[in-house]
């Protein structure tokens, strides 16, 4: 879910404010051998048959993120726009189990509230003939896949992954008839 509000403060400055939210409740049922796929550093070569011991997991997880965004569009000179932005997203990650299921012991879940700030900057130059040059750099975060929060086959302590993205490109509009 996303909502965005744009207000022109002057002929050269606009302010954008937004909020978005995404979430999931997941139930993952898995039964497989613990030896396939091979983990990095495993001494067994590719093609070795899987072991006979099976493990299973029937786990539930919950991921929820709600973000706020503020962006300013500055028309530096005709056709050239600079847009600094800041996005802030607290994320809730919950896993049903903190460790693999053990007979006779109650499940102990794990809950984490993590926050990420994502500064971003984009620039755009509009040229004659419907040609547009653009570039952007920004920090992005993403929660783990729900199945990766499994205590048996994953890690319920996983946090947010992050990356810095850089984009440079052009676009050319098609002539209208």
């Amino acid at each position: 879910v996303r909502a965005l509000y744009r207000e022109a403060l002057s002929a050269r400055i606009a302010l954008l404010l937004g909020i978005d939210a995404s979430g999931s409740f997941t139930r993952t049922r898995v039964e497989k051998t613990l030896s396939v796929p091979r983990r990095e550093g495993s001494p067994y070569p590719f093609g070795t048959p899987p072991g006979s011991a099976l493990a299973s997991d029937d786990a539930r997880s919950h991921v929820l993120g709600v973000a706020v965004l503020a962006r300013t569009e500055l028309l530096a000179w005709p056709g050239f726009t600079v847009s600094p932005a800041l996005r802030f997203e607290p994320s809730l990650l919950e896993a049903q189990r903190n460790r693999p299921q053990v007979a006779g012991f109650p499940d102990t879940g794990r809950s984490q509230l993590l926050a990420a700030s994502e500064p971003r900057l984009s620039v755009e130059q509009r040229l004659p003939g419907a040609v547009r040059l653009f570039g952007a750099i920004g920090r992005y975060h993403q929660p783990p896949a729900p199945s990766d929060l499994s205590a048996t086959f994953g890690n319920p302590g996983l946090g947010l992954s992050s990356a810095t993205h850089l984009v440079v490109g052009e676009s050319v509009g098609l002539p209208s008839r």
Side-chain angles (χ1 to χ4, degrees):
V1 176
R2 174 176 288 167
L4 188 64
Y5 173 77
R6 184 178 191 276
E7 178 71 31
L9 302 178
S10 73
R12 299 175 60 134
I13 301 172
L15 177 66
L16 285 92
L17 300 173
I19 185 168
D20 63 71
S22 64
S24 67
F25 290 99
T26 305
R27 181 175 182 180
T28 307
R29 294 182 193 181
V30 179
E31 182 176 271
K32 65 181 181 179
T33 175
L34 291 172
S35 59
V36 174
R38 301 281 182 227
R39 298 189 186 263
E40 184 177 337
S42 174
Y44 301 103
F46 178 76
T48 303
S52 60
L54 293 177
S56 64
D57 195 12
D58 184 4
R60 291 174 183 81
S61 61
H62 174 227
V63 176
L64 175 66
V66 178
V68 292
L69 167 75
R71 183 173 79 201
T72 305
E73 293 177 350
L74 307 167
L75 182 61
W77 58 79
F80 187 79
T81 305
V82 178
S83 298
L86 180 62
R87 186 173 186 274
F88 178 73
E89 181 175 9
S91 296
L92 176 65
L93 307 177
E94 294 181 317
Q96 177 187 6
R97 287 188 202 90
N98 198 34
R99 56 174 164 61
Q101 195 168 14
V102 178
F105 290 93
D107 285 340
T108 304
R110 180 177 181 97
S111 183
Q112 303 178 77
L113 181 60
L114 306 170
S117 293
E118 302 175 336
R120 300 173 183 180
L121 177 68
S122 64
V123 294
E124 176 183 297
Q125 176 67 57
R126 293 191 177 274
L127 301 174
V131 175
R132 185 174 65 99
L133 304 175
F134 57 88
I137 187 168
R139 191 79 177 150
Y140 292 80
H141 293 83
Q142 177 177 325
S147 60
D148 290 341
L149 295 173
S150 161
T152 304
F153 300 107
N155 181 353
L158 290 176
L160 302 173
S161 58
S162 63
T164 300
H165 292 214
L166 175 64
V167 177
V168 177
E170 69 173 316
S171 71
V172 179
L174 298 174
S176 61
R177 291 186 173 211

